[in-house]
Amino acid sequence: GAVVSQHPSRVICKSGTSVKIECRSLDFQATTMFWYRQFPKKSLMLMATSNEGSKATYEQGVEKDKFLINHASLTLSTLTVTSAHPEDSSFYICSASFRRMADIGEQYFGPGTRLTVT
Amino acid sequence: GQQLNQSPQSMFIQEGEDVSMNCTSSSIFNTWLWYKQEPGEGPVLLIALYKAGELTSNGRLTAQFGITRKDSFLNISASIPSDVGIYFCAGCYSGGGADGLTFGKGTHLIIQP
């Protein structure tokens, strides 16, 4: 149980184009989904927190107009990197959580999406 | 954002040895999580800790939530080749489900032949 998928697993795009990444919780309804970014040999950095039907909350320094997040249902969140540039190349990982009881929850991560902007 | 201090950064051990790694924070966390990540994949949850002083095991893995709520350790006993990977600690101010996680920088575990 608690499986999270991401699509695509890898994407190469040209500078200036937009790329959409999907995150799905396959066997549970996620109350919250999160988007992280990871540079090679570095740790994961939280980009934004997304609740179904609400606007995403972005971390300081993350441009909300550049990284558009849509959380349309309890099983799907999308991250769109708009007008991508080479410095946006990174490993993007989503996670999803559900609450078993008040204030208790665990996050389960997707397999990640490797974005390369040429 | 804030990062946790995780050590050691890397470990070179021989198969069968025990492993210990830890994380410290200047802030109190209410949840500590330990993840393992292999190249090109997302992190996989190993152990979740919710109470100060809590000691939890998952097979050969044991983790503890420090009494001060500012630290946690992970032990792996009798290491095997498939333990190779990067281990991350993560802290959360809430129960871990509502807020994003703050990650340590990772401990790269390498098992020497």
Side-chain angles (χ1 to χ4, degrees):
Chain A
V3 178
V4 177
S5 70
Q6 275 183 248
H7 178 79
S9 58
R10 289 178 175 269
V11 57
I12 301 173
C13 70
K14 292 186 176 180
S15 188
T17 61
S18 296
V19 174
K20 180 185 285 188
I21 303 170
E22 292 186 349
C23 176
R24 293 181 185 273
S25 57
L26 298 184
D27 52 0
F28 66 100
Q29 291 189 324
T31 50
T32 308
M33 287 185 168
F34 305 87
W35 288 94
Y36 294 82
R37 183 174 182 177
Q38 185 178 32
F39 290 106
K41 297 187 179 181
K42 297 293 184 183
S43 188
L44 286 78
M45 298 298 292
L46 178 67
M47 298 175 67
T49 301
S50 169
N51 292 295
E52 184 260 344
S54 302
K55 288 185 178 180
T57 302
Y58 291 81
E59 294 299 299
Q60 191 172 7
V62 178
E63 299 176 58
K64 62 180 180 180
D65 294 331
K66 180 167 188 61
F67 298 100
L68 300 179
I69 293 173
N70 186 302
H71 193 159
S73 75
L74 284 171
T75 59
L76 173 64
S77 176
T78 61
L79 168 69
T80 302
V81 183
T82 63
S83 187
H85 289 101
E87 57 265 31
D88 297 326
S89 299
S90 188
F91 195 48
Y92 292 88
I93 312 175
C94 71
S95 72
S97 72
F98 59 94
R99 292 195 169 177
R100 295 177 296 171
M101 63 182 79
D103 295 327
I104 296 293
E106 296 166 352
Q107 289 188 29
Y108 296 90
F109 284 81
T113 296
R114 173 73 60 192
L115 171 62
T116 303
V117 184
T118 61
Chain B
Q2 178 189 358
Q3 278 198 322
L4 303 177
N5 296 315
Q6 185 172 349
S7 65
Q9 186 175 0
S10 58
M11 299 185 72
F12 296 81
I13 64 168
Q14 293 194 329
E15 184 178 351
E17 288 186 18
D18 295 343
V19 172
S20 184
M21 59 192 78
N22 69 83
C23 274
T24 60
S25 169
S26 58
S27 302
I28 289 175
F29 285 112
N30 291 315
T31 301
W32 282 93
L33 304 164
W34 284 92
Y35 289 88
K36 179 186 177 187
Q37 186 180 31
E38 299 193 20
E41 299 181 8
V44 174
L45 181 65
L46 299 174
I47 293 180
L49 303 160
Y50 299 107
K51 295 180 181 179
E54 179 180 358
L55 182 71
T56 298
S57 293
N58 178 8
R60 293 179 295 106
L61 278 62
T62 302
Q64 184 158 31
F65 191 146
I67 287 290
T68 65
R69 296 189 174 184
K70 293 183 178 181
D71 64 295
S72 177
F73 72 74
L74 173 71
N75 288 340
I76 304 173
S77 63
S79 60
I80 59 177
S82 61
D83 291 334
V84 167
I86 302 177
Y87 292 79
F88 289 99
C89 63
C92 184
Y93 298 106
S94 72
D99 297 330
L101 302 177
T102 299
F103 278 84
K105 293 186 177 181
T107 294
H108 193 179
L109 179 60
I110 300 164
I111 297 181
Q112 295 176 318

PDB file of all heavy atoms in Angstrom, chain A residues 63-79:
ATOM      1  N   GLU A  63       9.499  30.401  -7.091  1.00  0.00           N
ATOM      2  CA  GLU A  63       8.606  31.277  -7.860  1.00  0.00           C
ATOM      3  C   GLU A  63       7.313  30.545  -8.202  1.00  0.00           C
ATOM      4  O   GLU A  63       7.312  29.586  -8.975  1.00  0.00           O
ATOM      5  CB  GLU A  63       9.300  31.698  -9.147  1.00  0.00           C
ATOM      6  CG  GLU A  63      10.583  32.486  -8.942  1.00  0.00           C
ATOM      7  CD  GLU A  63      11.254  32.773 -10.284  1.00  0.00           C
ATOM      8  OE1 GLU A  63      10.597  33.405 -11.134  1.00  0.00           O
ATOM      9  OE2 GLU A  63      12.406  32.353 -10.478  1.00  0.00           O
ATOM     10  N   LYS A  64       6.214  31.029  -7.699  1.00  0.00           N
ATOM     11  CA  LYS A  64       4.943  30.338  -7.943  1.00  0.00           C
ATOM     12  C   LYS A  64       4.485  30.475  -9.383  1.00  0.00           C
ATOM     13  O   LYS A  64       3.745  29.624  -9.883  1.00  0.00           O
ATOM     14  CB  LYS A  64       3.866  30.855  -6.988  1.00  0.00           C
ATOM     15  CG  LYS A  64       3.539  32.331  -7.137  1.00  0.00           C
ATOM     16  CD  LYS A  64       2.463  32.724  -6.142  1.00  0.00           C
ATOM     17  CE  LYS A  64       2.103  34.194  -6.270  1.00  0.00           C
ATOM     18  NZ  LYS A  64       1.045  34.594  -5.285  1.00  0.00           N
ATOM     19  N   ASP A  65       4.905  31.542 -10.060  1.00  0.00           N
ATOM     20  CA  ASP A  65       4.509  31.707 -11.459  1.00  0.00           C
ATOM     21  C   ASP A  65       5.330  30.829 -12.388  1.00  0.00           C
ATOM     22  O   ASP A  65       4.946  30.597 -13.530  1.00  0.00           O
ATOM     23  CB  ASP A  65       4.640  33.169 -11.876  1.00  0.00           C
ATOM     24  CG  ASP A  65       3.658  34.060 -11.142  1.00  0.00           C
ATOM     25  OD1 ASP A  65       2.576  33.558 -10.780  1.00  0.00           O
ATOM     26  OD2 ASP A  65       3.976  35.236 -10.916  1.00  0.00           O
ATOM     27  N   LYS A  66       6.445  30.377 -11.891  1.00  0.00           N
ATOM     28  CA  LYS A  66       7.301  29.516 -12.709  1.00  0.00           C
ATOM     29  C   LYS A  66       6.963  28.041 -12.469  1.00  0.00           C
ATOM     30  O   LYS A  66       7.007  27.241 -13.388  1.00  0.00           O
ATOM     31  CB  LYS A  66       8.765  29.758 -12.374  1.00  0.00           C
ATOM     32  CG  LYS A  66       9.698  28.888 -13.193  1.00  0.00           C
ATOM     33  CD  LYS A  66      11.123  29.353 -13.087  1.00  0.00           C
ATOM     34  CE  LYS A  66      11.974  28.578 -14.063  1.00  0.00           C
ATOM     35  NZ  LYS A  66      11.555  28.772 -15.465  1.00  0.00           N
ATOM     36  N   PHE A  67       6.664  27.719 -11.260  1.00  0.00           N
ATOM     37  CA  PHE A  67       6.341  26.341 -10.899  1.00  0.00           C
ATOM     38  C   PHE A  67       4.859  26.290 -10.510  1.00  0.00           C
ATOM     39  O   PHE A  67       4.490  26.493  -9.355  1.00  0.00           O
ATOM     40  CB  PHE A  67       7.224  25.859  -9.740  1.00  0.00           C
ATOM     41  CG  PHE A  67       8.687  25.850 -10.059  1.00  0.00           C
ATOM     42  CD1 PHE A  67       9.516  26.882  -9.629  1.00  0.00           C
ATOM     43  CD2 PHE A  67       9.245  24.811 -10.790  1.00  0.00           C
ATOM     44  CE1 PHE A  67      10.882  26.871  -9.919  1.00  0.00           C
ATOM     45  CE2 PHE A  67      10.606  24.792 -11.091  1.00  0.00           C
ATOM     46  CZ  PHE A  67      11.419  25.822 -10.660  1.00  0.00           C
ATOM     47  N   LEU A  68       4.031  25.994 -11.516  1.00  0.00           N
ATOM     48  CA  LEU A  68       2.583  25.994 -11.312  1.00  0.00           C
ATOM     49  C   LEU A  68       2.132  24.635 -10.782  1.00  0.00           C
ATOM     50  O   LEU A  68       2.454  23.605 -11.361  1.00  0.00           O
ATOM     51  CB  LEU A  68       1.861  26.300 -12.631  1.00  0.00           C
ATOM     52  CG  LEU A  68       2.192  27.650 -13.274  1.00  0.00           C
ATOM     53  CD1 LEU A  68       1.435  27.800 -14.585  1.00  0.00           C
ATOM     54  CD2 LEU A  68       1.865  28.798 -12.339  1.00  0.00           C
ATOM     55  N   ILE A  69       1.394  24.661  -9.702  1.00  0.00           N
ATOM     56  CA  ILE A  69       0.918  23.424  -9.103  1.00  0.00           C
ATOM     57  C   ILE A  69      -0.609  23.407  -9.133  1.00  0.00           C
ATOM     58  O   ILE A  69      -1.257  24.361  -8.731  1.00  0.00           O
ATOM     59  CB  ILE A  69       1.434  23.280  -7.664  1.00  0.00           C
ATOM     60  CG1 ILE A  69       2.945  23.085  -7.679  1.00  0.00           C
ATOM     61  CG2 ILE A  69       0.748  22.117  -6.954  1.00  0.00           C
ATOM     62  CD1 ILE A  69       3.590  23.094  -6.318  1.00  0.00           C
ATOM     63  N   ASN A  70      -1.122  22.289  -9.617  1.00  0.00           N
ATOM     64  CA  ASN A  70      -2.568  22.077  -9.653  1.00  0.00           C
ATOM     65  C   ASN A  70      -2.875  20.783  -8.926  1.00  0.00           C
ATOM     66  O   ASN A  70      -2.319  19.736  -9.238  1.00  0.00           O
ATOM     67  CB  ASN A  70      -3.057  21.989 -11.108  1.00  0.00           C
ATOM     68  CG  ASN A  70      -4.566  21.911 -11.180  1.00  0.00           C
ATOM     69  OD1 ASN A  70      -5.184  21.018 -10.613  1.00  0.00           O
ATOM     70  ND2 ASN A  70      -5.171  22.848 -11.857  1.00  0.00           N
ATOM     71  N   HIS A  71      -3.750  20.860  -7.950  1.00  0.00           N
ATOM     72  CA  HIS A  71      -4.105  19.670  -7.166  1.00  0.00           C
ATOM     73  C   HIS A  71      -5.604  19.464  -7.329  1.00  0.00           C
ATOM     74  O   HIS A  71      -6.401  19.881  -6.505  1.00  0.00           O
ATOM     75  CB  HIS A  71      -3.727  19.917  -5.705  1.00  0.00           C
ATOM     76  CG  HIS A  71      -3.743  18.669  -4.869  1.00  0.00           C
ATOM     77  ND1 HIS A  71      -3.053  18.589  -3.678  1.00  0.00           N
ATOM     78  CD2 HIS A  71      -4.334  17.474  -5.036  1.00  0.00           C
ATOM     79  CE1 HIS A  71      -3.247  17.392  -3.146  1.00  0.00           C
ATOM     80  NE2 HIS A  71      -4.014  16.710  -3.956  1.00  0.00           N
ATOM     81  N   ALA A  72      -5.951  18.810  -8.435  1.00  0.00           N
ATOM     82  CA  ALA A  72      -7.356  18.744  -8.841  1.00  0.00           C
ATOM     83  C   ALA A  72      -8.170  17.705  -8.081  1.00  0.00           C
ATOM     84  O   ALA A  72      -9.381  17.828  -7.958  1.00  0.00           O
ATOM     85  CB  ALA A  72      -7.422  18.460 -10.334  1.00  0.00           C
ATOM     86  N   SER A  73      -7.503  16.685  -7.571  1.00  0.00           N
ATOM     87  CA  SER A  73      -8.249  15.627  -6.887  1.00  0.00           C
ATOM     88  C   SER A  73      -7.398  15.070  -5.764  1.00  0.00           C
ATOM     89  O   SER A  73      -6.233  15.438  -5.605  1.00  0.00           O
ATOM     90  CB  SER A  73      -8.618  14.514  -7.866  1.00  0.00           C
ATOM     91  OG  SER A  73      -7.489  13.721  -8.181  1.00  0.00           O
ATOM     92  N   LEU A  74      -7.982  14.150  -5.006  1.00  0.00           N
ATOM     93  CA  LEU A  74      -7.257  13.556  -3.879  1.00  0.00           C
ATOM     94  C   LEU A  74      -6.211  12.540  -4.319  1.00  0.00           C
ATOM     95  O   LEU A  74      -5.502  11.982  -3.487  1.00  0.00           O
ATOM     96  CB  LEU A  74      -8.238  12.887  -2.911  1.00  0.00           C
ATOM     97  CG  LEU A  74      -9.026  13.845  -2.020  1.00  0.00           C
ATOM     98  CD1 LEU A  74     -10.110  13.098  -1.256  1.00  0.00           C
ATOM     99  CD2 LEU A  74      -8.108  14.555  -1.026  1.00  0.00           C
ATOM    100  N   THR A  75      -6.120  12.309  -5.612  1.00  0.00           N
ATOM    101  CA  THR A  75      -5.134  11.348  -6.087  1.00  0.00           C
ATOM    102  C   THR A  75      -4.196  11.919  -7.147  1.00  0.00           C
ATOM    103  O   THR A  75      -3.331  11.204  -7.655  1.00  0.00           O
ATOM    104  CB  THR A  75      -5.811  10.097  -6.674  1.00  0.00           C
ATOM    105  OG1 THR A  75      -6.653  10.503  -7.760  1.00  0.00           O
ATOM    106  CG2 THR A  75      -6.638   9.371  -5.633  1.00  0.00           C
ATOM    107  N   LEU A  76      -4.341  13.188  -7.496  1.00  0.00           N
ATOM    108  CA  LEU A  76      -3.522  13.746  -8.572  1.00  0.00           C
ATOM    109  C   LEU A  76      -3.092  15.169  -8.275  1.00  0.00           C
ATOM    110  O   LEU A  76      -3.900  16.022  -7.926  1.00  0.00           O
ATOM    111  CB  LEU A  76      -4.298  13.724  -9.892  1.00  0.00           C
ATOM    112  CG  LEU A  76      -3.645  14.428 -11.082  1.00  0.00           C
ATOM    113  CD1 LEU A  76      -2.340  13.730 -11.478  1.00  0.00           C
ATOM    114  CD2 LEU A  76      -4.612  14.476 -12.259  1.00  0.00           C
ATOM    115  N   SER A  77      -1.797  15.399  -8.432  1.00  0.00           N
ATOM    116  CA  SER A  77      -1.249  16.748  -8.391  1.00  0.00           C
ATOM    117  C   SER A  77      -0.307  16.890  -9.570  1.00  0.00           C
ATOM    118  O   SER A  77       0.364  15.933  -9.950  1.00  0.00           O
ATOM    119  CB  SER A  77      -0.486  16.997  -7.086  1.00  0.00           C
ATOM    120  OG  SER A  77       0.115  18.277  -7.085  1.00  0.00           O
ATOM    121  N   THR A  78      -0.283  18.070 -10.162  1.00  0.00           N
ATOM    122  CA  THR A  78       0.637  18.306 -11.284  1.00  0.00           C
ATOM    123  C   THR A  78       1.518  19.509 -10.999  1.00  0.00           C
ATOM    124  O   THR A  78       1.096  20.468 -10.353  1.00  0.00           O
ATOM    125  CB  THR A  78      -0.122  18.546 -12.603  1.00  0.00           C
ATOM    126  OG1 THR A  78      -0.959  19.705 -12.467  1.00  0.00           O
ATOM    127  CG2 THR A  78      -0.963  17.347 -12.974  1.00  0.00           C
ATOM    128  N   LEU A  79       2.748  19.400 -11.466  1.00  0.00           N
ATOM    129  CA  LEU A  79       3.720  20.491 -11.385  1.00  0.00           C
ATOM    130  C   LEU A  79       4.084  20.861 -12.810  1.00  0.00           C
ATOM    131  O   LEU A  79       4.522  20.005 -13.581  1.00  0.00           O
ATOM    132  CB  LEU A  79       4.959  20.056 -10.620  1.00  0.00           C
ATOM    133  CG  LEU A  79       6.171  20.982 -10.692  1.00  0.00           C
ATOM    134  CD1 LEU A  79       5.891  22.284  -9.946  1.00  0.00           C
ATOM    135  CD2 LEU A  79       7.414  20.320 -10.120  1.00  0.00           C
TER     136      LEU A  79
END
